Every structure is written in structure tokens, then in C-alpha cells.
Amino acid sequence: MKLASLKTMHPDGSLIVVSRDLSRAVSAATVAPTMRAALDDWTRAEPALRDLYVALNADSATDAFDFDPHACTAPLPRTHQFIDASAFLNHGRIMTQAYHPEKKTDPSVPILIQRQADDFAGPYDDYPFPDEADNCDFEGEVGVILGDVPMSTSAADALPLVRLVTLFNDVSMRKHLFRELAMGFGFILAKPATAFAPVAVTPDELGNAWCNGRVHLDLRVERNGERFGSPNGREMNFGFHELIAYLAYNRNLRAGMLLGSGTFSNANFRTTGSACLAEQRAIETIEGGESTTPWLRFGERLRFEILDDNGQSMFGAIDHRFIKAGDTA
């Protein structure tokens, strides 16, 4: 099942069901007005939403319309909790080798951080930021949206509690990141709003690509129309089930929580490329002594997309332009 949220005057948008090929959609208002409402009442809402999905794919849904991803906000436009992981240890190894070779980490413990969750951006929204000197970066990730997770849920029991999977660009301002890390708490200026693909999908839509709590598909990243990288999600060192179990050790996790994978990163990066500028710049530093890839500048455009084995877009694309804050041109 594929779900999205249309932009409306309401901050949570309006929930719609989207066809498997992303060509058609139908309002879900008879089931739940918003994604938030559906997640809060998933036991009742999910079968009814799935009935709409079946009808839509059979071309028998009443009042269906052409799907326009430009009209969408993030599938879940805001939520109460967003926790991001750094679950691709290859990314950490590259960054550590380039900048902190003395640093020691425990590869048995996942790295997680609380993030901003009250203002997610849509897939085609211009992305404003104040100053090019902030060293604007991107990070291609997938995330899962959870149902209620009881305290002490085990990894073996965690995956059935994943309601939806989605794709996002975790925008980073690198000028502020190392300073805020050194302060010892968390990110504020380094991590502004996150931008999402238009569609979130139930795990069954991924088929065999949803395996062991990982998305075994390439994440294609383009910068200004040129390929930047296409790392695969299979090399995630901690599956989502393991991350969920770690988080739920001594707390309940409530429906609607978003959990990110961290930027996709593969060991054969010379072939796959990267999903963020910082990693590419770190590789250049390791191999050549200095980085040459520039940070994002105003006017640049990024595209992120994951295709299934048949070439069908799984979540739709994030395709957005970075602009100076206050500039609407």
C-alpha cells in the first residue's frame, strides 16, 4: 500500500492512497483525514485503506484522480519524535579516517540522535537556507514510521511494528556540525528541516527488497542532473529491527515515531559513489590530501529516488532546488 499527504491549509495535510505505479490517487478522508490519524487508529484504518488501494489499482476506485507529487507535502508532515541513526558504519569509518583517526567507537552500539520533527519539507519544495558559508550538505536516507512499540520489545518482535517506509534527504549544515558535536549534546543549527519523498509504503510493497530490516535497493542521487551516487541499503550494519529494540530498551515508542537509517554508504564507494557531500569530500581528503567537491550553493538542484527491480519508482522522487532564505524567485 502506498500513501501520501496533499498540501492543504491544515499543517498535517490530507491523506490520500496512491496507486502502485504512482499514476492515480484517491482521497482517504472516509477512513482517516490525515496520516497522523491513520497511524493512531491503524488497526481499524489499515484494512480500509488497503481496500481503497486494491480498488485504485484495479481502476475501480470512485473519484480517483491523477497523482501529482508536486501537490504533496511530506507523507507525515510533522510528528512527535524523529530519531536518526548512523547505521552504515562504512560512512563513519570514512569520516573518522579523514578527520578523526584517533577516535575509537564501539561498533556493537548503534549511534542515534534526537532530531527536529515539527516541520518536514515536501518533495518538490524549494529549500531555503540563510548562507552558503554554512556548508550545506545532503544525506540520502530511508526511514520507517512506527506503530506503538512497547518497552523492551525485542528485535525479533520489532519489524511487524513498522507501519511505513519512506525516503528522505537529511539536510546538514556542516559548518555547525563539528562545533555542535564538540559541545556534547546534539544538533540544532547543523540539522534544519528534513525533506521527504511524496510517498510512504507499507513494507510488503518492497517485496524481497525488504529483508532483515533493510531496504536492499539502490538510492540514486543526482546533483544538477548529473549522477552523484547510488549506494545500496543492504550494507546497513544495524537493521531497523535492531535499532527499534535498542530504542525501546527502557521506553515505549508511540505510533507516528520516525526512525532514520543514516546516510547510505557502501564499501565499494568507488563504484557506487556516495549519498552525501561530506563522505565524498572525506574520500578526496584520504586519497588526495584535500577535498575538491564543493558544498551546495544557491540555485542547485538535487534529486533522490529509489527504483524497484522493474524500474518503478518506489516512493516517488525528491527533486528540490536550494535557494537563499527569503528568495522566492
Side-chain angles (χ1 to χ4, degrees):
M1 180 168 60
K2 298 191 174 187
L3 303 175
S5 296
L6 293 180
K7 295 177 180 177
T8 68
M9 296 299 292
H10 193 282
D12 292 322
S14 176
L15 183 63
I16 60 173
V17 179
V18 182
S19 63
R20 181 167 285 114
D21 64 2
L22 306 183
S23 67
R24 300 282 284 169
V26 65
S27 171
T30 58
V31 180
T34 66
M35 181 75 81
R36 169 81 257 177
L39 291 164
D40 282 341
D41 193 17
W42 192 254
T43 300
R44 179 197 64 82
E46 190 273 341
L49 292 170
R50 196 167 291 277
D51 286 345
L52 283 174
Y53 186 61
V54 170
L56 185 63
N57 287 315
D59 200 25
S60 60
T62 303
D63 297 326
F65 53 88
D66 291 341
F67 176 59
D68 179 9
H70 295 79
C72 291
T73 182
L76 184 62
R78 57 179 180 165
T79 192
H80 58 281
Q81 181 162 232
F82 171 22
I83 294 179
D84 202 14
S86 184
F88 290 83
L89 297 186
N90 183 69
H91 174 71
R93 283 192 292 267
I94 290 170
M95 299 299 290
T96 297
Q97 183 179 349
Y99 302 118
H100 298 285
E102 77 289 348
K103 184 178 178 180
K104 304 298 181 184
T105 58
D106 184 349
S108 68
V109 178
I111 300 170
L112 298 135
I113 191 163
Q114 295 275 1
R115 291 292 312 284
Q116 173 255 34
D118 58 344
D119 183 31
F120 295 147
Y124 288 86
D125 294 344
D126 283 345
Y127 196 101
F129 67 103
D131 191 340
E132 289 178 344
D134 287 340
N135 296 341
C136 183
D137 194 1
F138 55 85
E139 297 188 49
E141 306 190 22
V142 295
V144 295
I145 300 170
L146 304 180
D148 284 332
V149 178
M151 185 190 302
S152 301
T153 293
S154 69
D157 295 330
L159 287 184
L161 303 176
V162 172
R163 300 294 183 238
L164 298 163
V165 185
T166 192
L167 166 68
F168 63 86
N169 174 17
D170 180 32
V171 178
S172 300
M173 300 296 168
R174 297 292 176 179
K175 172 186 174 182
H176 304 287
L177 189 142
F178 289 119
R179 174 180 59 82
E180 291 184 339
L181 278 176
M183 292 168 66
F185 263 26
F187 300 135
I188 300 296
L189 299 186
K191 291 289 187 177
T194 304
F196 286 78
V199 171
V201 310
T202 48
D204 59 289
E205 286 293 320
L206 289 157
N208 293 333
W210 179 245
C211 179
N212 199 25
R214 297 160 171 85
V215 176
H216 289 233
L217 292 170
D218 294 343
L219 197 168
R220 303 182 178 202
V221 183
E222 294 180 3
R223 182 181 188 180
N224 301 318
E226 296 183 357
R227 178 187 181 272
F228 187 84
S230 54
N232 193 286
R234 71 170 65 93
E235 292 186 32
M236 192 174 168
N237 293 84
F238 298 94
F240 279 111
H241 55 309
E242 295 165 310
L243 297 176
I244 293 166
Y246 183 85
L247 285 167
Y249 170 73
N250 61 0
R251 73 178 80 180
N252 298 308
L253 309 176
R254 296 305 184 191
M257 179 187 146
L258 172 69
L259 173 60
S261 64
T263 187
F264 275 36
S265 181
N266 289 172
N268 61 333
F269 53 82
R270 291 180 183 84
T271 299
T272 66
S274 298
C276 82
L277 291 173
E279 180 172 300
Q280 175 61 30
R281 287 170 59 88
I283 292 166
E284 293 165 352
T285 298
I286 293 166
E287 297 185 342
E290 63 178 353
S291 56
T292 58
T293 297
W295 302 111
L296 289 176
R297 297 190 178 276
F298 299 137
E300 293 203 64
R301 181 173 290 276
L302 297 176
R303 183 179 177 90
F304 302 80
E305 193 166 20
I306 291 179
L307 307 182
D308 66 18
D309 292 337
N310 298 315
Q312 170 64 48
S313 183
M314 180 59 62
F315 308 100
I318 305 168
D319 192 333
H320 56 171
R321 183 177 59 125
F322 284 71
I323 65 171
K324 183 173 179 57
D327 184 359
T328 58

